[in-house]
Amino acid sequence: MTDNPAPANSRKKLIIGSAAAVGIAAIALVVFVLPAEYGKDPTGLGAALGITKLAPTEEENIYLKRGLARSNVLLPLQESATPDETTLKATLAEHNIAQLPGTNVRTDRYVVELAPYEGIELKYDMAEGASMIFKWTATAPVHVDMHSHPFEGGAELTESFVIEDSVPSQTAVYVAPFTGIHGWYWQNRNLDGVTVTLETTGQVTAARTFSSGAEQPRPLTDEAPANAGAPTTAP
Amino acid sequence: MSATDADSRQLIANRAPKTPALRQTNPLAAAPASVLMLMLLALALLTPAGAALAHDISEADRAAVASIVGPAPFAFFYLGAKHMVTGIDHVLFLIGVVFFLYRLRDVIIYVSMFTIGHSLTLLGGVLLNTGANAYIVDAIIGFSVVYKAFENLGGFRRLGMNINTRAAVLVFGLFHGLGLATKVRDLGLSDDGLLTNLISFNVGVEAGQVFVLAIVVTLLNIWRTKRSFASGAYYANLALMTGGFILIGYQLTGYFAS
């Protein structure tokens, strides 16, 4: 059913035209599109014309830029580290950080199953200078955004410390840079369900989850990480 | 505007030579091309989705959708329409498809083929949760623009290939739908109200398509009456082809860089 009355061009016109299309496309790609979209600049012309400046970089995320500007907030640990009080204290001492006095150390365990493309956010209430050790693992790599924002000023002042697309686990000590909520957004970008298990020990006072925009308080389990085995049964 | 007396007369006049043209079309001649297209479709479906999903939907829209639970037909209608109108790949392909269609009836037939194609894979892809690599799908969508431009230049006839143009539009429609499905899934739709939101998105896509087509067909009809059309058509389709090649290069680079 070739009912398209397109005129047939001569062989010569077709060849010259198609070659020109490929040539112009190649030039446009190499000089403009690739430098602007991916920061790839094989000819150097992209930089000369100021096009590479358009390329998105990780640091261009304003939240991540703020978060990464801080030091002694996230102290990464070996994956094998146990998220208990001993390790927390040892890590803080190692970095010459004094533990915030007068705040109880509590433990928590959170297990969540994420359907494909489902995301959830877990946040802890922490005072400025409060610290916690945490370890989370996922049964398959997930997208994660570890971030926090102060109570005063709200989400506008969000700071991210890690934004990555495919992470299987994270173990670290976190020292709250301000009084507010601190935690993770996990999103399952796999085609199968994923279970994320989080264990924490630290000076947290409350927990809450955000799922599809709805905020829900969540009681801390006070389950010691050493004998942690059964999944959380939050009432 | 296009349903003038002249057009109706042309419609009747065109019926006569159409039947022999139909007979000339050997259905088998289109087979190799169809097989190639189906293989490309299979390739796109088998390529792991993974990390390549996160592009092309603006962060603001993503954040807005993340806060939606339950049916929100108008929000998704708007997103679908916006994606179609601002998606240069879909727009270029539509321009290519209607470039030489001067009868409203043909415009409707071809656009219907495209709509059936992309709706099938959009609804199916999201509901069945079929994974497809966004870069590969978008590269094939770029290729669909190159294909259509080359066909408009009479390239396939010059090469002695007799491609069923309607079937080709349908098959490329399947790829455009696969691309749309990937965009929708990238929005992170909640299961609550999924079907309503998905159908609203699809209806929005069609509304956006009608909007684009209304402008494109009107402009083409005006241009067709001018002398410059005959020579200009050659350059216009070369420009389409160039755009298609740029899209292919852009997406393939993204694929290999990710």
PDB file of all heavy atoms in Angstrom, chain A residues 1-7 9 13-14 17 21-22 25 29 38 117 212, chain B residues 25 53 69 100 110 153 157-158 162-163 165-166 185 234 242 245 250 254:
ATOM      1  N   MET A   1       0.827  -1.187   0.000  1.00  0.00           N
ATOM      2  CA  MET A   1       0.000   0.000   0.000  1.00  0.00           C
ATOM      3  C   MET A   1       0.875   1.255   0.000  1.00  0.00           C
ATOM      4  O   MET A   1       0.978   1.974   0.972  1.00  0.00           O
ATOM      5  CB  MET A   1      -0.870  -0.018   1.243  1.00  0.00           C
ATOM      6  CG  MET A   1      -2.310   0.256   0.951  1.00  0.00           C
ATOM      7  SD  MET A   1      -3.284  -0.113   2.399  1.00  0.00           S
ATOM      8  CE  MET A   1      -3.378  -1.903   2.321  1.00  0.00           C
ATOM      9  N   THR A   2       1.578   1.439  -1.100  1.00  0.00           N
ATOM     10  CA  THR A   2       2.458   2.595  -1.169  1.00  0.00           C
ATOM     11  C   THR A   2       1.687   3.748  -1.776  1.00  0.00           C
ATOM     12  O   THR A   2       1.869   4.077  -2.931  1.00  0.00           O
ATOM     13  CB  THR A   2       3.708   2.247  -2.001  1.00  0.00           C
ATOM     14  OG1 THR A   2       4.143   0.965  -1.577  1.00  0.00           O
ATOM     15  CG2 THR A   2       4.818   3.227  -1.774  1.00  0.00           C
ATOM     16  N   ASP A   3       0.803   4.358  -0.970  1.00  0.00           N
ATOM     17  CA  ASP A   3      -0.030   5.412  -1.540  1.00  0.00           C
ATOM     18  C   ASP A   3       0.529   6.799  -1.227  1.00  0.00           C
ATOM     19  O   ASP A   3      -0.184   7.767  -1.171  1.00  0.00           O
ATOM     20  CB  ASP A   3      -1.476   5.291  -1.053  1.00  0.00           C
ATOM     21  CG  ASP A   3      -1.552   4.927   0.415  1.00  0.00           C
ATOM     22  OD1 ASP A   3      -0.530   5.040   1.110  1.00  0.00           O
ATOM     23  OD2 ASP A   3      -2.626   4.545   0.861  1.00  0.00           O
ATOM     24  N   ASN A   4       1.799   6.850  -0.992  1.00  0.00           N
ATOM     25  CA  ASN A   4       2.442   8.121  -0.709  1.00  0.00           C
ATOM     26  C   ASN A   4       2.988   8.684  -2.020  1.00  0.00           C
ATOM     27  O   ASN A   4       3.901   8.117  -2.604  1.00  0.00           O
ATOM     28  CB  ASN A   4       3.588   7.873   0.272  1.00  0.00           C
ATOM     29  CG  ASN A   4       3.975   9.152   0.975  1.00  0.00           C
ATOM     30  OD1 ASN A   4       3.694  10.231   0.468  1.00  0.00           O
ATOM     31  ND2 ASN A   4       4.612   9.018   2.110  1.00  0.00           N
ATOM     32  N   PRO A   5       2.407   9.790  -2.511  1.00  0.00           N
ATOM     33  CA  PRO A   5       2.830  10.277  -3.824  1.00  0.00           C
ATOM     34  C   PRO A   5       4.131  11.069  -3.760  1.00  0.00           C
ATOM     35  O   PRO A   5       4.229  12.161  -4.286  1.00  0.00           O
ATOM     36  CB  PRO A   5       1.657  11.157  -4.244  1.00  0.00           C
ATOM     37  CG  PRO A   5       1.138  11.693  -2.948  1.00  0.00           C
ATOM     38  CD  PRO A   5       1.421  10.677  -1.891  1.00  0.00           C
ATOM     39  N   ALA A   6       5.116  10.540  -3.057  1.00  0.00           N
ATOM     40  CA  ALA A   6       6.382  11.252  -2.955  1.00  0.00           C
ATOM     41  C   ALA A   6       7.112  11.206  -4.285  1.00  0.00           C
ATOM     42  O   ALA A   6       7.129  10.180  -4.944  1.00  0.00           O
ATOM     43  CB  ALA A   6       7.236  10.608  -1.881  1.00  0.00           C
ATOM     44  N   PRO A   7       7.700  12.328  -4.687  1.00  0.00           N
ATOM     45  CA  PRO A   7       8.433  12.325  -5.935  1.00  0.00           C
ATOM     46  C   PRO A   7       9.734  11.541  -5.767  1.00  0.00           C
ATOM     47  O   PRO A   7      10.327  11.541  -4.691  1.00  0.00           O
ATOM     48  CB  PRO A   7       8.729  13.808  -6.162  1.00  0.00           C
ATOM     49  CG  PRO A   7       8.738  14.410  -4.804  1.00  0.00           C
ATOM     50  CD  PRO A   7       7.786  13.604  -3.976  1.00  0.00           C
ATOM     51  N   ASN A   9      13.485  11.207  -6.343  1.00  0.00           N
ATOM     52  CA  ASN A   9      14.627  12.027  -6.716  1.00  0.00           C
ATOM     53  C   ASN A   9      15.646  11.160  -7.439  1.00  0.00           C
ATOM     54  O   ASN A   9      15.643   9.938  -7.319  1.00  0.00           O
ATOM     55  CB  ASN A   9      15.254  12.637  -5.457  1.00  0.00           C
ATOM     56  CG  ASN A   9      14.386  13.760  -4.895  1.00  0.00           C
ATOM     57  OD1 ASN A   9      14.281  14.822  -5.509  1.00  0.00           O
ATOM     58  ND2 ASN A   9      13.738  13.517  -3.772  1.00  0.00           N
ATOM     59  N   LYS A  13      20.995  12.832  -6.614  1.00  0.00           N
ATOM     60  CA  LYS A  13      20.469  13.732  -5.569  1.00  0.00           C
ATOM     61  C   LYS A  13      20.305  13.001  -4.238  1.00  0.00           C
ATOM     62  O   LYS A  13      20.547  13.561  -3.168  1.00  0.00           O
ATOM     63  CB  LYS A  13      19.110  14.300  -6.004  1.00  0.00           C
ATOM     64  CG  LYS A  13      19.220  15.618  -6.749  1.00  0.00           C
ATOM     65  CD  LYS A  13      17.845  16.128  -7.126  1.00  0.00           C
ATOM     66  CE  LYS A  13      17.378  17.228  -6.196  1.00  0.00           C
ATOM     67  NZ  LYS A  13      16.079  17.796  -6.619  1.00  0.00           N
ATOM     68  N   LEU A  14      19.879  11.733  -4.341  1.00  0.00           N
ATOM     69  CA  LEU A  14      19.688  10.938  -3.126  1.00  0.00           C
ATOM     70  C   LEU A  14      21.000  10.726  -2.396  1.00  0.00           C
ATOM     71  O   LEU A  14      21.095  10.883  -1.179  1.00  0.00           O
ATOM     72  CB  LEU A  14      19.086   9.575  -3.485  1.00  0.00           C
ATOM     73  CG  LEU A  14      17.579   9.485  -3.525  1.00  0.00           C
ATOM     74  CD1 LEU A  14      17.165   8.126  -4.058  1.00  0.00           C
ATOM     75  CD2 LEU A  14      17.009   9.701  -2.134  1.00  0.00           C
ATOM     76  N   GLY A  17      22.402  14.105  -1.130  1.00  0.00           N
ATOM     77  CA  GLY A  17      21.559  14.582  -0.030  1.00  0.00           C
ATOM     78  C   GLY A  17      21.757  13.780   1.238  1.00  0.00           C
ATOM     79  O   GLY A  17      21.954  14.344   2.318  1.00  0.00           O
ATOM     80  N   ALA A  21      23.240  14.927   4.804  1.00  0.00           N
ATOM     81  CA  ALA A  21      22.496  14.780   6.065  1.00  0.00           C
ATOM     82  C   ALA A  21      23.372  14.122   7.131  1.00  0.00           C
ATOM     83  O   ALA A  21      23.436  14.580   8.270  1.00  0.00           O
ATOM     84  CB  ALA A  21      21.225  13.962   5.843  1.00  0.00           C
ATOM     85  N   VAL A  22      24.072  13.053   6.732  1.00  0.00           N
ATOM     86  CA  VAL A  22      24.964  12.358   7.675  1.00  0.00           C
ATOM     87  C   VAL A  22      26.073  13.304   8.125  1.00  0.00           C
ATOM     88  O   VAL A  22      26.390  13.409   9.317  1.00  0.00           O
ATOM     89  CB  VAL A  22      25.554  11.079   7.033  1.00  0.00           C
ATOM     90  CG1 VAL A  22      26.633  10.480   7.927  1.00  0.00           C
ATOM     91  CG2 VAL A  22      24.458  10.066   6.778  1.00  0.00           C
ATOM     92  N   ALA A  25      24.755  16.104  10.355  1.00  0.00           N
ATOM     93  CA  ALA A  25      24.384  15.521  11.647  1.00  0.00           C
ATOM     94  C   ALA A  25      25.633  15.226  12.469  1.00  0.00           C
ATOM     95  O   ALA A  25      25.676  15.502  13.676  1.00  0.00           O
ATOM     96  CB  ALA A  25      23.564  14.246  11.436  1.00  0.00           C
ATOM     97  N   LEU A  29      26.479  16.930  15.974  1.00  0.00           N
ATOM     98  CA  LEU A  29      26.640  16.066  17.143  1.00  0.00           C
ATOM     99  C   LEU A  29      27.948  16.354  17.865  1.00  0.00           C
ATOM    100  O   LEU A  29      27.975  16.565  19.075  1.00  0.00           O
ATOM    101  CB  LEU A  29      26.625  14.595  16.712  1.00  0.00           C
ATOM    102  CG  LEU A  29      25.288  13.879  16.699  1.00  0.00           C
ATOM    103  CD1 LEU A  29      25.436  12.529  16.025  1.00  0.00           C
ATOM    104  CD2 LEU A  29      24.756  13.694  18.109  1.00  0.00           C
ATOM    105  N   TYR A  38      26.463  15.673  27.118  1.00  0.00           N
ATOM    106  CA  TYR A  38      27.231  14.698  27.895  1.00  0.00           C
ATOM    107  C   TYR A  38      28.590  15.239  28.340  1.00  0.00           C
ATOM    108  O   TYR A  38      29.340  14.535  29.003  1.00  0.00           O
ATOM    109  CB  TYR A  38      27.470  13.425  27.073  1.00  0.00           C
ATOM    110  CG  TYR A  38      26.209  12.756  26.583  1.00  0.00           C
ATOM    111  CD1 TYR A  38      25.915  12.696  25.222  1.00  0.00           C
ATOM    112  CD2 TYR A  38      25.318  12.174  27.476  1.00  0.00           C
ATOM    113  CE1 TYR A  38      24.768  12.066  24.769  1.00  0.00           C
ATOM    114  CE2 TYR A  38      24.172  11.551  27.032  1.00  0.00           C
ATOM    115  CZ  TYR A  38      23.892  11.498  25.672  1.00  0.00           C
ATOM    116  OH  TYR A  38      22.757  10.880  25.240  1.00  0.00           O
ATOM    117  N   TYR A 117       9.992   0.241  40.667  1.00  0.00           N
ATOM    118  CA  TYR A 117       9.801   1.690  40.531  1.00  0.00           C
ATOM    119  C   TYR A 117       9.134   2.330  41.742  1.00  0.00           C
ATOM    120  O   TYR A 117       8.812   3.500  41.719  1.00  0.00           O
ATOM    121  CB  TYR A 117       9.074   2.041  39.225  1.00  0.00           C
ATOM    122  CG  TYR A 117       9.918   1.592  38.087  1.00  0.00           C
ATOM    123  CD1 TYR A 117       9.717   0.356  37.500  1.00  0.00           C
ATOM    124  CD2 TYR A 117      11.017   2.362  37.693  1.00  0.00           C
ATOM    125  CE1 TYR A 117      10.570  -0.111  36.531  1.00  0.00           C
ATOM    126  CE2 TYR A 117      11.872   1.903  36.732  1.00  0.00           C
ATOM    127  CZ  TYR A 117      11.642   0.665  36.149  1.00  0.00           C
ATOM    128  OH  TYR A 117      12.500   0.210  35.203  1.00  0.00           O
ATOM    129  N   SER A 212       4.850   8.192  48.609  1.00  0.00           N
ATOM    130  CA  SER A 212       3.936   8.875  47.688  1.00  0.00           C
ATOM    131  C   SER A 212       3.406  10.165  48.297  1.00  0.00           C
ATOM    132  O   SER A 212       2.230  10.468  48.217  1.00  0.00           O
ATOM    133  CB  SER A 212       2.765   7.972  47.302  1.00  0.00           C
ATOM    134  OG  SER A 212       3.244   6.755  46.818  1.00  0.00           O
TER     135      SER A 212
ATOM    136  N   THR B  25       1.472  -4.159  -5.432  1.00  0.00           N
ATOM    137  CA  THR B  25       2.196  -4.342  -4.182  1.00  0.00           C
ATOM    138  C   THR B  25       2.252  -5.811  -3.815  1.00  0.00           C
ATOM    139  O   THR B  25       1.248  -6.429  -3.491  1.00  0.00           O
ATOM    140  CB  THR B  25       1.512  -3.566  -3.054  1.00  0.00           C
ATOM    141  OG1 THR B  25       1.290  -2.243  -3.520  1.00  0.00           O
ATOM    142  CG2 THR B  25       2.368  -3.521  -1.817  1.00  0.00           C
ATOM    143  N   LEU B  53      17.084   4.466  32.525  1.00  0.00           N
ATOM    144  CA  LEU B  53      15.717   4.959  32.562  1.00  0.00           C
ATOM    145  C   LEU B  53      15.624   6.433  32.925  1.00  0.00           C
ATOM    146  O   LEU B  53      14.692   7.107  32.535  1.00  0.00           O
ATOM    147  CB  LEU B  53      14.922   4.147  33.574  1.00  0.00           C
ATOM    148  CG  LEU B  53      14.557   2.758  33.092  1.00  0.00           C
ATOM    149  CD1 LEU B  53      14.020   1.928  34.239  1.00  0.00           C
ATOM    150  CD2 LEU B  53      13.526   2.821  31.988  1.00  0.00           C
ATOM    151  N   VAL B  69      -0.980  10.443  44.432  1.00  0.00           N
ATOM    152  CA  VAL B  69      -1.456   9.103  44.743  1.00  0.00           C
ATOM    153  C   VAL B  69      -2.893   9.051  44.254  1.00  0.00           C
ATOM    154  O   VAL B  69      -3.651   9.987  44.458  1.00  0.00           O
ATOM    155  CB  VAL B  69      -1.429   8.825  46.262  1.00  0.00           C
ATOM    156  CG1 VAL B  69      -1.537   7.332  46.514  1.00  0.00           C
ATOM    157  CG2 VAL B  69      -0.205   9.391  46.896  1.00  0.00           C
ATOM    158  N   PHE B 100       3.662  14.359   2.488  1.00  0.00           N
ATOM    159  CA  PHE B 100       3.061  14.282   1.156  1.00  0.00           C
ATOM    160  C   PHE B 100       1.606  13.837   1.188  1.00  0.00           C
ATOM    161  O   PHE B 100       1.063  13.410   0.191  1.00  0.00           O
ATOM    162  CB  PHE B 100       3.880  13.347   0.270  1.00  0.00           C
ATOM    163  CG  PHE B 100       5.173  13.977  -0.179  1.00  0.00           C
ATOM    164  CD1 PHE B 100       6.390  13.492   0.281  1.00  0.00           C
ATOM    165  CD2 PHE B 100       5.168  15.061  -1.042  1.00  0.00           C
ATOM    166  CE1 PHE B 100       7.578  14.077  -0.128  1.00  0.00           C
ATOM    167  CE2 PHE B 100       6.361  15.653  -1.454  1.00  0.00           C
ATOM    168  CZ  PHE B 100       7.566  15.165  -0.991  1.00  0.00           C
ATOM    169  N   TYR B 110      -3.088   7.376   8.194  1.00  0.00           N
ATOM    170  CA  TYR B 110      -1.710   7.215   8.656  1.00  0.00           C
ATOM    171  C   TYR B 110      -1.556   7.530  10.130  1.00  0.00           C
ATOM    172  O   TYR B 110      -0.868   6.820  10.866  1.00  0.00           O
ATOM    173  CB  TYR B 110      -0.763   8.079   7.816  1.00  0.00           C
ATOM    174  CG  TYR B 110      -0.354   7.385   6.545  1.00  0.00           C
ATOM    175  CD1 TYR B 110      -1.123   7.473   5.397  1.00  0.00           C
ATOM    176  CD2 TYR B 110       0.794   6.600   6.517  1.00  0.00           C
ATOM    177  CE1 TYR B 110      -0.772   6.814   4.249  1.00  0.00           C
ATOM    178  CE2 TYR B 110       1.166   5.935   5.370  1.00  0.00           C
ATOM    179  CZ  TYR B 110       0.379   6.043   4.226  1.00  0.00           C
ATOM    180  OH  TYR B 110       0.742   5.387   3.104  1.00  0.00           O
ATOM    181  N   LEU B 153      11.900  11.082   0.172  1.00  0.00           N
ATOM    182  CA  LEU B 153      12.781  11.483  -0.920  1.00  0.00           C
ATOM    183  C   LEU B 153      12.677  10.511  -2.099  1.00  0.00           C
ATOM    184  O   LEU B 153      13.325  10.698  -3.120  1.00  0.00           O
ATOM    185  CB  LEU B 153      14.236  11.523  -0.423  1.00  0.00           C
ATOM    186  CG  LEU B 153      14.584  12.663   0.538  1.00  0.00           C
ATOM    187  CD1 LEU B 153      15.919  12.396   1.208  1.00  0.00           C
ATOM    188  CD2 LEU B 153      14.618  13.995  -0.190  1.00  0.00           C
ATOM    189  N   ARG B 157      12.075   3.654  -3.384  1.00  0.00           N
ATOM    190  CA  ARG B 157      11.656   3.294  -4.739  1.00  0.00           C
ATOM    191  C   ARG B 157      12.872   3.271  -5.658  1.00  0.00           C
ATOM    192  O   ARG B 157      13.013   2.421  -6.523  1.00  0.00           O
ATOM    193  CB  ARG B 157      10.621   4.287  -5.257  1.00  0.00           C
ATOM    194  CG  ARG B 157       9.205   3.737  -5.093  1.00  0.00           C
ATOM    195  CD  ARG B 157       8.218   4.652  -5.718  1.00  0.00           C
ATOM    196  NE  ARG B 157       8.121   5.900  -4.971  1.00  0.00           N
ATOM    197  CZ  ARG B 157       7.680   7.030  -5.496  1.00  0.00           C
ATOM    198  NH1 ARG B 157       7.330   7.069  -6.775  1.00  0.00           N
ATOM    199  NH2 ARG B 157       7.602   8.114  -4.763  1.00  0.00           N
ATOM    200  N   ARG B 158      13.776   4.225  -5.445  1.00  0.00           N
ATOM    201  CA  ARG B 158      14.992   4.278  -6.254  1.00  0.00           C
ATOM    202  C   ARG B 158      15.828   3.024  -6.014  1.00  0.00           C
ATOM    203  O   ARG B 158      16.471   2.513  -6.906  1.00  0.00           O
ATOM    204  CB  ARG B 158      15.774   5.553  -5.873  1.00  0.00           C
ATOM    205  CG  ARG B 158      16.947   5.877  -6.712  1.00  0.00           C
ATOM    206  CD  ARG B 158      16.634   6.103  -8.164  1.00  0.00           C
ATOM    207  NE  ARG B 158      15.844   7.300  -8.447  1.00  0.00           N
ATOM    208  CZ  ARG B 158      15.320   7.555  -9.643  1.00  0.00           C
ATOM    209  NH1 ARG B 158      15.521   6.712 -10.660  1.00  0.00           N
ATOM    210  NH2 ARG B 158      14.605   8.637  -9.847  1.00  0.00           N
ATOM    211  N   ASN B 162       9.950  -2.012  -2.254  1.00  0.00           N
ATOM    212  CA  ASN B 162       8.546  -1.639  -2.189  1.00  0.00           C
ATOM    213  C   ASN B 162       8.053  -1.872  -0.776  1.00  0.00           C
ATOM    214  O   ASN B 162       7.673  -2.964  -0.401  1.00  0.00           O
ATOM    215  CB  ASN B 162       7.755  -2.475  -3.198  1.00  0.00           C
ATOM    216  CG  ASN B 162       6.412  -1.853  -3.489  1.00  0.00           C
ATOM    217  OD1 ASN B 162       6.053  -0.832  -2.892  1.00  0.00           O
ATOM    218  ND2 ASN B 162       5.666  -2.460  -4.389  1.00  0.00           N
ATOM    219  N   ILE B 163       8.130  -0.828   0.039  1.00  0.00           N
ATOM    220  CA  ILE B 163       7.775  -0.981   1.456  1.00  0.00           C
ATOM    221  C   ILE B 163       6.340  -0.558   1.681  1.00  0.00           C
ATOM    222  O   ILE B 163       5.889   0.456   1.144  1.00  0.00           O
ATOM    223  CB  ILE B 163       8.741  -0.154   2.329  1.00  0.00           C
ATOM    224  CG1 ILE B 163      10.125  -0.801   2.282  1.00  0.00           C
ATOM    225  CG2 ILE B 163       8.236  -0.066   3.759  1.00  0.00           C
ATOM    226  CD1 ILE B 163      11.177  -0.047   3.026  1.00  0.00           C
ATOM    227  N   THR B 165       4.029   1.343   3.306  1.00  0.00           N
ATOM    228  CA  THR B 165       4.260   2.539   4.116  1.00  0.00           C
ATOM    229  C   THR B 165       3.342   2.606   5.332  1.00  0.00           C
ATOM    230  O   THR B 165       3.734   3.098   6.371  1.00  0.00           O
ATOM    231  CB  THR B 165       4.081   3.812   3.268  1.00  0.00           C
ATOM    232  OG1 THR B 165       2.831   3.718   2.603  1.00  0.00           O
ATOM    233  CG2 THR B 165       5.170   3.952   2.244  1.00  0.00           C
ATOM    234  N   ARG B 166       2.127   2.057   5.182  1.00  0.00           N
ATOM    235  CA  ARG B 166       1.211   2.088   6.331  1.00  0.00           C
ATOM    236  C   ARG B 166       1.712   1.152   7.428  1.00  0.00           C
ATOM    237  O   ARG B 166       1.718   1.502   8.609  1.00  0.00           O
ATOM    238  CB  ARG B 166      -0.195   1.670   5.917  1.00  0.00           C
ATOM    239  CG  ARG B 166      -0.849   2.698   5.036  1.00  0.00           C
ATOM    240  CD  ARG B 166      -2.247   2.284   4.665  1.00  0.00           C
ATOM    241  NE  ARG B 166      -2.779   3.174   3.649  1.00  0.00           N
ATOM    242  CZ  ARG B 166      -3.978   3.050   3.117  1.00  0.00           C
ATOM    243  NH1 ARG B 166      -4.757   2.064   3.499  1.00  0.00           N
ATOM    244  NH2 ARG B 166      -4.402   3.898   2.210  1.00  0.00           N
ATOM    245  N   ARG B 185       7.069   5.226  32.951  1.00  0.00           N
ATOM    246  CA  ARG B 185       7.575   4.446  34.087  1.00  0.00           C
ATOM    247  C   ARG B 185       8.648   5.222  34.826  1.00  0.00           C
ATOM    248  O   ARG B 185       8.811   5.086  36.027  1.00  0.00           O
ATOM    249  CB  ARG B 185       8.107   3.113  33.591  1.00  0.00           C
ATOM    250  CG  ARG B 185       6.962   2.275  33.084  1.00  0.00           C
ATOM    251  CD  ARG B 185       7.346   0.886  32.835  1.00  0.00           C
ATOM    252  NE  ARG B 185       8.778   0.740  32.772  1.00  0.00           N
ATOM    253  CZ  ARG B 185       9.368  -0.426  32.757  1.00  0.00           C
ATOM    254  NH1 ARG B 185       8.648  -1.500  32.831  1.00  0.00           N
ATOM    255  NH2 ARG B 185      10.663  -0.500  32.667  1.00  0.00           N
ATOM    256  N   TYR B 234      12.584  18.534  -1.161  1.00  0.00           N
ATOM    257  CA  TYR B 234      13.847  17.790  -1.132  1.00  0.00           C
ATOM    258  C   TYR B 234      14.690  18.225   0.069  1.00  0.00           C
ATOM    259  O   TYR B 234      15.127  17.406   0.878  1.00  0.00           O
ATOM    260  CB  TYR B 234      14.581  18.036  -2.454  1.00  0.00           C
ATOM    261  CG  TYR B 234      16.000  17.528  -2.512  1.00  0.00           C
ATOM    262  CD1 TYR B 234      16.266  16.155  -2.586  1.00  0.00           C
ATOM    263  CD2 TYR B 234      17.077  18.415  -2.531  1.00  0.00           C
ATOM    264  CE1 TYR B 234      17.573  15.691  -2.666  1.00  0.00           C
ATOM    265  CE2 TYR B 234      18.381  17.958  -2.612  1.00  0.00           C
ATOM    266  CZ  TYR B 234      18.629  16.593  -2.679  1.00  0.00           C
ATOM    267  OH  TYR B 234      19.913  16.142  -2.763  1.00  0.00           O
ATOM    268  N   THR B 242      18.555  14.747   8.647  1.00  0.00           N
ATOM    269  CA  THR B 242      19.663  15.221   9.492  1.00  0.00           C
ATOM    270  C   THR B 242      19.248  15.176  10.967  1.00  0.00           C
ATOM    271  O   THR B 242      19.993  14.688  11.820  1.00  0.00           O
ATOM    272  CB  THR B 242      20.040  16.666   9.097  1.00  0.00           C
ATOM    273  OG1 THR B 242      20.286  16.705   7.698  1.00  0.00           O
ATOM    274  CG2 THR B 242      21.277  17.131   9.851  1.00  0.00           C
ATOM    275  N   PHE B 245      19.323  11.659  12.194  1.00  0.00           N
ATOM    276  CA  PHE B 245      20.691  11.183  12.443  1.00  0.00           C
ATOM    277  C   PHE B 245      21.240  11.763  13.747  1.00  0.00           C
ATOM    278  O   PHE B 245      21.931  11.073  14.492  1.00  0.00           O
ATOM    279  CB  PHE B 245      21.617  11.555  11.280  1.00  0.00           C
ATOM    280  CG  PHE B 245      21.529  10.608  10.112  1.00  0.00           C
ATOM    281  CD1 PHE B 245      21.286  11.078   8.818  1.00  0.00           C
ATOM    282  CD2 PHE B 245      21.697   9.239  10.290  1.00  0.00           C
ATOM    283  CE1 PHE B 245      21.204  10.200   7.748  1.00  0.00           C
ATOM    284  CE2 PHE B 245      21.612   8.357   9.222  1.00  0.00           C
ATOM    285  CZ  PHE B 245      21.364   8.847   7.946  1.00  0.00           C
ATOM    286  N   TYR B 250      22.875  11.002  19.281  1.00  0.00           N
ATOM    287  CA  TYR B 250      22.690  11.468  20.650  1.00  0.00           C
ATOM    288  C   TYR B 250      22.326  10.308  21.576  1.00  0.00           C
ATOM    289  O   TYR B 250      22.916  10.121  22.636  1.00  0.00           O
ATOM    290  CB  TYR B 250      21.603  12.553  20.638  1.00  0.00           C
ATOM    291  CG  TYR B 250      21.063  12.988  21.977  1.00  0.00           C
ATOM    292  CD1 TYR B 250      21.914  13.300  23.020  1.00  0.00           C
ATOM    293  CD2 TYR B 250      19.693  13.110  22.174  1.00  0.00           C
ATOM    294  CE1 TYR B 250      21.407  13.714  24.249  1.00  0.00           C
ATOM    295  CE2 TYR B 250      19.183  13.520  23.390  1.00  0.00           C
ATOM    296  CZ  TYR B 250      20.042  13.816  24.419  1.00  0.00           C
ATOM    297  OH  TYR B 250      19.538  14.217  25.626  1.00  0.00           O
ATOM    298  N   GLY B 254      24.570   8.189  24.457  1.00  0.00           N
ATOM    299  CA  GLY B 254      24.045   8.026  25.814  1.00  0.00           C
ATOM    300  C   GLY B 254      24.073   6.571  26.237  1.00  0.00           C
ATOM    301  O   GLY B 254      24.425   6.253  27.368  1.00  0.00           O
TER     302      GLY B 254
END
